Amino acid sequence: MPCSDVIVERTAGTAPALVRLPLATLYLTERCNSRCVSCDYWRHGGRDVDIGTVRRLLPGLAALGTGTVLVSGGEPLLHPQWAGIAALLRGQGLRLWLLTAGLALAKHAAEVAGLFEQVTVSLDGATAATYARIRGLDAFDAVCAGVRAAVSEGLRVSLRVTVQRGNAGELGDLVALAHRLGVAGVSFLAADVSHAEAFGRRAAPDDGIALGASELPVLAASLDALERDHAADFASGFIVETPAKLRRIEAHYRARLGLGEPPPVRCNAPEHSVVIEAGGGLRPCFFIAGAGGLGEGGLVEVLNSPPQRRLRAAIRAGSRPECQRCVCAKWFEA
């Protein structure tokens, strides 16, 4: 369906039909070779996206003017056809961004560099011991080697840290590690512990993730030190978030303990992006289950189905309870 043929209308409780989708996140697989405390894909994930499904996505991505595909999972480099899928997407003129745990990055760095414009590596510990506690593997050195290999191939590499009980006091050390590894930047996000069905979960997240009252001063001191010692990194954008946005992480954990109000959420991500699961489901974001999947329909038709449009309207109106506990709150400028 060409973009010009998509009818834009607004009815009560219904979002406008999407005519533009700048970003699509594609889960290549539910399988993962990490054992993270904050995610359960490694416990339960088994499905890989079929390359035929990816081909069926292409007309819709073109019609919606999608420019970037974030290739994720699970661990996308576990998919036996990851390179072929990336080449297929790249052949359509799409810019590719890889989100990986980095365990296999050293092995595949050269091939990744030929297919992807940028890579984000999830790295939640500044030391081998912290990494092992959070990620469940003694693989800190292997991941760091993968990051260095990707950087040496000329890739734009960044680190993503999920701030949680196990690393709340290491934020400055993680910035220092990012510099040593030669990456382009580092970003921080509170670990999600509010959405029981997100990230492959079938039960409530591990109790050891969220900060308790005794850890809040540790996080506050770590944030204070970041502002004091890394002003240049904030100014240059090497630390992606502003100091004020990082303080939302503290506010988020305080609110969970009943010690304050949750930080306000301003998000229009479902109007600018979609998460495509390995099984074909379409989620408006990482944290909220979708209202349907690809089935036999094309991407444009499914995204503009009445259930999907009602779901986007509810999110924009702030009536979804998941949004009140959101750790992300992404706003895309027009």
Tab-separated table of all heavy atoms in Angstrom, residues 78-112:
chain	number	residue	atom	x	y	z
A	78	LEU	N	22.830	-14.851	17.238
A	78	LEU	CA	22.567	-16.288	17.330
A	78	LEU	C	21.730	-16.801	16.157
A	78	LEU	O	21.674	-18.007	15.913
A	78	LEU	CB	21.857	-16.629	18.641
A	78	LEU	CG	22.671	-16.565	19.926
A	78	LEU	CD1	21.806	-16.964	21.113
A	78	LEU	CD2	23.910	-17.459	19.850
A	79	HIS	N	21.054	-15.910	15.461
A	79	HIS	CA	20.229	-16.343	14.333
A	79	HIS	C	21.147	-16.873	13.240
A	79	HIS	O	22.097	-16.195	12.825
A	79	HIS	CB	19.407	-15.172	13.800
A	79	HIS	CG	18.297	-15.571	12.881
A	79	HIS	ND1	18.521	-16.157	11.644
A	79	HIS	CD2	16.942	-15.476	13.011
A	79	HIS	CE1	17.367	-16.396	11.057
A	79	HIS	NE2	16.382	-15.989	11.855
A	80	PRO	N	20.893	-18.087	12.735
A	80	PRO	CA	21.800	-18.655	11.736
A	80	PRO	C	21.868	-17.867	10.441
A	80	PRO	O	22.832	-18.000	9.676
A	80	PRO	CB	21.241	-20.069	11.505
A	80	PRO	CG	19.825	-20.007	11.965
A	80	PRO	CD	19.808	-19.019	13.089
A	81	GLN	N	20.866	-17.023	10.184
A	81	GLN	CA	20.846	-16.229	8.953
A	81	GLN	C	20.944	-14.734	9.237
A	81	GLN	O	20.496	-13.919	8.424
A	81	GLN	CB	19.558	-16.524	8.168
A	81	GLN	CG	19.450	-17.951	7.649
A	81	GLN	CD	18.121	-18.181	6.949
A	81	GLN	OE1	17.056	-18.174	7.574
A	81	GLN	NE2	18.168	-18.375	5.645
A	82	TRP	N	21.554	-14.361	10.354
A	82	TRP	CA	21.568	-12.936	10.709
A	82	TRP	C	22.214	-12.086	9.612
A	82	TRP	O	21.724	-10.986	9.297
A	82	TRP	CB	22.265	-12.712	12.051
A	82	TRP	CG	23.757	-12.907	12.062
A	82	TRP	CD1	24.435	-14.028	12.407
A	82	TRP	CD2	24.743	-11.940	11.689
A	82	TRP	NE1	25.797	-13.837	12.282
A	82	TRP	CE2	26.010	-12.559	11.839
A	82	TRP	CE3	24.696	-10.627	11.249
A	82	TRP	CZ2	27.214	-11.898	11.562
A	82	TRP	CZ3	25.891	-9.961	10.968
A	82	TRP	CH2	27.139	-10.601	11.128
A	83	ALA	N	23.304	-12.564	9.049
A	83	ALA	CA	23.991	-11.777	8.032
A	83	ALA	C	23.159	-11.678	6.752
A	83	ALA	O	23.112	-10.613	6.118
A	83	ALA	CB	25.358	-12.383	7.733
A	84	GLY	N	22.499	-12.764	6.378
A	84	GLY	CA	21.653	-12.735	5.191
A	84	GLY	C	20.469	-11.793	5.355
A	84	GLY	O	20.102	-11.072	4.417
A	85	ILE	N	19.872	-11.802	6.551
A	85	ILE	CA	18.756	-10.888	6.813
A	85	ILE	C	19.238	-9.451	6.786
A	85	ILE	O	18.588	-8.564	6.219
A	85	ILE	CB	18.093	-11.242	8.163
A	85	ILE	CG1	17.375	-12.583	8.050
A	85	ILE	CG2	17.130	-10.137	8.595
A	85	ILE	CD1	16.848	-13.115	9.368
A	86	ALA	N	20.396	-9.194	7.395
A	86	ALA	CA	20.948	-7.841	7.393
A	86	ALA	C	21.241	-7.385	5.962
A	86	ALA	O	20.959	-6.236	5.591
A	86	ALA	CB	22.215	-7.793	8.239
A	87	ALA	N	21.789	-8.277	5.148
A	87	ALA	CA	22.075	-7.923	3.758
A	87	ALA	C	20.791	-7.633	2.989
A	87	ALA	O	20.745	-6.716	2.148
A	87	ALA	CB	22.859	-9.047	3.089
A	88	LEU	N	19.733	-8.408	3.274
A	88	LEU	CA	18.438	-8.179	2.626
A	88	LEU	C	17.907	-6.792	2.967
A	88	LEU	O	17.462	-6.044	2.080
A	88	LEU	CB	17.449	-9.265	3.075
A	88	LEU	CG	16.006	-9.147	2.578
A	88	LEU	CD1	15.943	-9.257	1.065
A	88	LEU	CD2	15.144	-10.227	3.237
A	89	LEU	N	17.962	-6.430	4.238
A	89	LEU	CA	17.477	-5.119	4.664
A	89	LEU	C	18.361	-4.009	4.102
A	89	LEU	O	17.869	-2.977	3.625
A	89	LEU	CB	17.448	-5.057	6.186
A	89	LEU	CG	16.464	-6.000	6.886
A	89	LEU	CD1	16.737	-6.046	8.383
A	89	LEU	CD2	15.023	-5.563	6.630
A	90	ARG	N	19.646	-4.229	4.166
A	90	ARG	CA	20.596	-3.231	3.656
A	90	ARG	C	20.387	-3.001	2.156
A	90	ARG	O	20.523	-1.876	1.663
A	90	ARG	CB	22.015	-3.708	3.945
A	90	ARG	CG	23.129	-2.751	3.549
A	90	ARG	CD	23.230	-1.590	4.535
A	90	ARG	NE	24.342	-0.732	4.172
A	90	ARG	CZ	25.483	-0.665	4.847
A	90	ARG	NH1	25.658	-1.410	5.927
A	90	ARG	NH2	26.443	0.154	4.484
A	91	GLY	N	20.047	-4.066	1.454
A	91	GLY	CA	19.815	-3.955	0.023
A	91	GLY	C	18.606	-3.101	-0.333
A	91	GLY	O	18.470	-2.671	-1.486
A	92	GLN	N	17.730	-2.851	0.642
A	92	GLN	CA	16.569	-1.982	0.435
A	92	GLN	C	16.870	-0.532	0.794
A	92	GLN	O	15.969	0.307	0.829
A	92	GLN	CB	15.386	-2.479	1.270
A	92	GLN	CG	14.979	-3.905	0.973
A	92	GLN	CD	14.547	-4.098	-0.458
A	92	GLN	OE1	13.677	-3.381	-0.952
A	92	GLN	NE2	15.138	-5.074	-1.142
A	93	GLY	N	18.134	-0.245	1.079
A	93	GLY	CA	18.523	1.118	1.426
A	93	GLY	C	18.303	1.476	2.885
A	93	GLY	O	18.396	2.657	3.250
A	94	LEU	N	18.011	0.483	3.721
A	94	LEU	CA	17.771	0.748	5.136
A	94	LEU	C	19.090	0.847	5.893
A	94	LEU	O	20.048	0.128	5.615
A	94	LEU	CB	16.921	-0.376	5.736
A	94	LEU	CG	15.483	-0.431	5.224
A	94	LEU	CD1	14.886	-1.808	5.436
A	94	LEU	CD2	14.629	0.632	5.917
A	95	ARG	N	19.134	1.762	6.855
A	95	ARG	CA	20.280	1.860	7.754
A	95	ARG	C	20.077	0.869	8.890
A	95	ARG	O	18.987	0.791	9.462
A	95	ARG	CB	20.406	3.280	8.313
A	95	ARG	CG	20.702	4.330	7.261
A	95	ARG	CD	20.847	5.714	7.868
A	95	ARG	NE	19.602	6.138	8.509
A	95	ARG	CZ	18.598	6.741	7.881
A	95	ARG	NH1	18.680	6.962	6.569
A	95	ARG	NH2	17.512	7.097	8.531
A	96	LEU	N	21.120	0.138	9.243
A	96	LEU	CA	20.996	-0.924	10.233
A	96	LEU	C	21.786	-0.586	11.489
A	96	LEU	O	22.924	-0.113	11.429
A	96	LEU	CB	21.486	-2.254	9.658
A	96	LEU	CG	20.767	-2.765	8.417
A	96	LEU	CD1	21.239	-4.176	8.082
A	96	LEU	CD2	19.260	-2.732	8.595
A	97	TRP	N	21.163	-0.891	12.610
A	97	TRP	CA	21.709	-0.621	13.937
A	97	TRP	C	21.580	-1.922	14.722
A	97	TRP	O	20.483	-2.469	14.843
A	97	TRP	CB	20.914	0.522	14.548
A	97	TRP	CG	21.187	0.891	15.954
A	97	TRP	CD1	22.196	0.481	16.769
A	97	TRP	CD2	20.397	1.805	16.735
A	97	TRP	NE1	22.107	1.066	18.011
A	97	TRP	CE2	21.017	1.883	18.008
A	97	TRP	CE3	19.253	2.557	16.482
A	97	TRP	CZ2	20.489	2.686	19.024
A	97	TRP	CZ3	18.746	3.355	17.488
A	97	TRP	CH2	19.361	3.421	18.740
A	98	LEU	N	22.684	-2.433	15.228
A	98	LEU	CA	22.706	-3.707	15.930
A	98	LEU	C	22.732	-3.484	17.431
A	98	LEU	O	23.562	-2.735	17.947
A	98	LEU	CB	23.949	-4.501	15.514
A	98	LEU	CG	24.182	-5.845	16.224
A	98	LEU	CD1	23.083	-6.846	15.872
A	98	LEU	CD2	25.559	-6.411	15.861
A	99	LEU	N	21.807	-4.138	18.132
A	99	LEU	CA	21.806	-4.153	19.595
A	99	LEU	C	22.186	-5.557	20.033
A	99	LEU	O	21.475	-6.517	19.746
A	99	LEU	CB	20.430	-3.776	20.135
A	99	LEU	CG	20.249	-3.805	21.659
A	99	LEU	CD1	21.251	-2.888	22.349
A	99	LEU	CD2	18.829	-3.418	22.035
A	100	THR	N	23.311	-5.698	20.728
A	100	THR	CA	23.855	-7.008	21.038
A	100	THR	C	24.443	-7.035	22.439
A	100	THR	O	24.861	-6.003	22.971
A	100	THR	CB	24.958	-7.386	20.019
A	100	THR	OG1	25.571	-8.619	20.401
A	100	THR	CG2	26.034	-6.323	19.921
A	101	ALA	N	24.484	-8.234	23.019
A	101	ALA	CA	25.185	-8.426	24.284
A	101	ALA	C	26.683	-8.527	24.085
A	101	ALA	O	27.452	-8.471	25.049
A	101	ALA	CB	24.667	-9.683	24.991
A	102	GLY	N	27.124	-8.712	22.854
A	102	GLY	CA	28.535	-8.628	22.526
A	102	GLY	C	29.353	-9.886	22.696
A	102	GLY	O	30.555	-9.884	22.443
A	103	LEU	N	28.739	-10.989	23.090
A	103	LEU	CA	29.509	-12.203	23.354
A	103	LEU	C	30.153	-12.769	22.085
A	103	LEU	O	31.229	-13.381	22.143
A	103	LEU	CB	28.614	-13.264	23.991
A	103	LEU	CG	28.115	-12.942	25.400
A	103	LEU	CD1	27.012	-13.896	25.805
A	103	LEU	CD2	29.257	-13.004	26.396
A	104	ALA	N	29.510	-12.583	20.945
A	104	ALA	CA	30.049	-13.086	19.684
A	104	ALA	C	30.561	-11.967	18.785
A	104	ALA	O	30.861	-12.199	17.613
A	104	ALA	CB	28.977	-13.884	18.938
A	105	LEU	N	30.694	-10.774	19.320
A	105	LEU	CA	31.027	-9.631	18.475
A	105	LEU	C	32.458	-9.702	17.953
A	105	LEU	O	32.726	-9.321	16.804
A	105	LEU	CB	30.805	-8.335	19.252
A	105	LEU	CG	30.853	-7.031	18.465
A	105	LEU	CD1	29.901	-7.066	17.274
A	105	LEU	CD2	30.510	-5.854	19.378
A	106	ALA	N	33.394	-10.170	18.766
A	106	ALA	CA	34.774	-10.271	18.294
A	106	ALA	C	34.862	-11.199	17.086
A	106	ALA	O	35.566	-10.912	16.108
A	106	ALA	CB	35.683	-10.764	19.424
A	107	LYS	N	34.134	-12.296	17.131
A	107	LYS	CA	34.149	-13.272	16.040
A	107	LYS	C	33.594	-12.684	14.751
A	107	LYS	O	34.084	-12.984	13.646
A	107	LYS	CB	33.349	-14.507	16.452
A	107	LYS	CG	33.206	-15.570	15.375
A	107	LYS	CD	32.363	-16.735	15.878
A	107	LYS	CE	32.158	-17.790	14.805
A	107	LYS	NZ	31.305	-18.906	15.299
A	108	HIS	N	32.565	-11.847	14.864
A	108	HIS	CA	31.835	-11.378	13.684
A	108	HIS	C	32.077	-9.900	13.376
A	108	HIS	O	31.365	-9.339	12.538
A	108	HIS	CB	30.336	-11.595	13.895
A	108	HIS	CG	29.931	-13.027	14.056
A	108	HIS	ND1	30.108	-13.971	13.067
A	108	HIS	CD2	29.358	-13.681	15.102
A	108	HIS	CE1	29.654	-15.139	13.481
A	108	HIS	NE2	29.202	-14.999	14.709
A	109	ALA	N	33.053	-9.279	14.015
A	109	ALA	CA	33.204	-7.822	13.908
A	109	ALA	C	33.346	-7.347	12.466
A	109	ALA	O	32.721	-6.354	12.060
A	109	ALA	CB	34.395	-7.357	14.741
A	110	ALA	N	34.149	-8.014	11.683
A	110	ALA	CA	34.362	-7.565	10.305
A	110	ALA	C	33.075	-7.654	9.485
A	110	ALA	O	32.737	-6.738	8.725
A	110	ALA	CB	35.471	-8.388	9.657
A	111	GLU	N	32.332	-8.757	9.647
A	111	GLU	CA	31.086	-8.914	8.902
A	111	GLU	C	30.039	-7.922	9.374
A	111	GLU	O	29.300	-7.355	8.559
A	111	GLU	CB	30.578	-10.349	9.052
A	111	GLU	CG	29.518	-10.738	8.046
A	111	GLU	CD	29.240	-12.226	8.026
A	111	GLU	OE1	29.659	-12.947	8.963
A	111	GLU	OE2	28.600	-12.689	7.073
A	112	VAL	N	29.975	-7.696	10.682
A	112	VAL	CA	29.047	-6.700	11.218
A	112	VAL	C	29.373	-5.325	10.643
A	112	VAL	O	28.482	-4.561	10.253
A	112	VAL	CB	29.109	-6.681	12.760
A	112	VAL	CG1	28.383	-5.458	13.321
A	112	VAL	CG2	28.490	-7.958	13.332
